[in-house]
Amino acid sequence: MLGFFDDIRRMNKRQLLYQGLNFGMIVSSALMIWKGLMVVTGSESPIVVVLSGSMEPAFHRGDLLFLTNRVEDPIRVGDIVVFKVEGRDIPIVHRVLKLHEKENGEVKFLTKGDNNSVDDRGLYAQGQLWLEKKDVVGRARGFVPYVGIVTILMNDYPKLKYGVLCLLGLFVLVHRE
C-alpha cells in the first residue's frame, strides 16, 4: 500500500491529470456504448441479470440476458419478457402465459415464472390483472450463463462493490500507459 502512495507522489500534476482524463474517457465510453445499445435494441435496459430462480430451468440466477423491445415485434404466448410493475424498482423476467388481443389492437397478457406454481397476478400492482406493452422493458433474445453473478454479489455485499470500484480507480490512477 505504501508503494502505491509513493507512485502517486512521484507523478507530476500533468501525469495525474492525464490519468484522471483517461478514467473519465473510460466512464464516458461505457455510457455511450450503453446509450447506443438502448437505441439499437429499443429497450431502456438492453442487458439484465436474472436475480432469482423463478425461470429455472430456462434461466438460472446470475444469467445475463440480452433484450430487444421493438414496436413492430408482437408479443406472443411463450415469449420471455422482462417487465416492470408500478411500485417495484426491479424488473421481473417471466414467460407470457396468456394473451388477450382486442379489436382495437390493444394487447394484454399474463406472465408466470417457469419454476413458479401460480401466475404473476400477485406480483402486479394492486388491482392490475394483466400487463400491457407499456410495462415491458424487453424480450429475451439471448443469454450468457452465470456472467451476472458478479452483479448479484456486489448488490448482496455493498462493501465488495465499493472495494472493487476503489481498486479499479486506483489502478487507473497508477497505471502509467
Side-chain angles (χ1 to χ4, degrees):
M1 193 71 172
L2 291 176
F4 166 72
F5 290 116
D6 288 338
D7 285 344
I8 294 235
R9 273 192 221 116
R10 277 190 253 131
M11 285 185 180
N12 62 31
K13 289 180 185 179
R14 181 175 282 173
Q15 285 175 320
L16 203 55
L17 180 64
Y18 178 73
Q19 295 299 81
L21 286 173
N22 272 342
F23 183 70
M25 291 294 288
I26 291 169
V27 170
S28 62
S29 294
L31 289 173
M32 286 189 290
I33 290 169
W34 183 259
K35 289 293 185 181
L37 282 173
M38 287 173 68
V39 169
V40 168
T41 63
S43 176
E44 68 184 66
S45 184
I47 299 172
V48 296
V49 175
V50 177
L51 298 176
S52 75
S54 67
M55 279 302 292
E56 290 179 1
F59 300 119
H60 295 85
R61 190 170 193 253
D63 287 355
L64 192 69
L65 299 182
F66 300 101
L67 309 179
T68 61
N69 195 19
R70 296 192 183 96
V71 177
E72 64 271 7
D73 290 342
I75 293 174
R76 295 286 167 228
V77 172
D79 285 352
I80 296 172
V81 295
V82 177
F83 60 93
K84 277 191 172 178
V85 176
E86 190 177 315
R88 292 180 182 246
D89 294 333
I90 298 172
I92 300 169
V93 180
H94 282 172
R95 191 179 305 274
V96 175
L97 184 65
K98 293 181 183 177
L99 190 75
H100 287 285
E101 294 182 70
K102 294 186 177 181
E103 299 284 329
N104 64 1
E106 185 182 344
V107 176
K108 292 188 176 193
F109 53 94
L110 180 67
T111 56
K112 177 186 171 292
D114 290 356
N115 202 21
N116 294 348
S117 56
V118 295
D119 63 42
D120 289 343
R121 287 185 177 143
L123 298 174
Y124 300 162
Q126 190 172 358
Q128 183 179 13
L129 298 177
W130 301 89
L131 292 175
E132 298 175 16
K133 182 74 172 159
K134 67 175 177 59
D135 299 315
V136 175
V137 175
R139 275 188 282 175
R141 297 296 183 190
F143 76 102
V144 180
Y146 302 111
V147 172
I149 201 73
V150 174
T151 303
I152 293 173
L153 289 173
M154 284 199 225
N155 284 330
D156 288 350
Y157 305 103
K159 289 180 182 176
L160 176 66
K161 176 176 24 180
Y162 297 124
V164 168
L165 288 173
C166 285
L167 285 174
L168 288 173
L170 291 174
F171 177 75
V172 169
L173 285 174
V174 172
H175 193 9
R176 294 178 185 243
E177 293 177 20

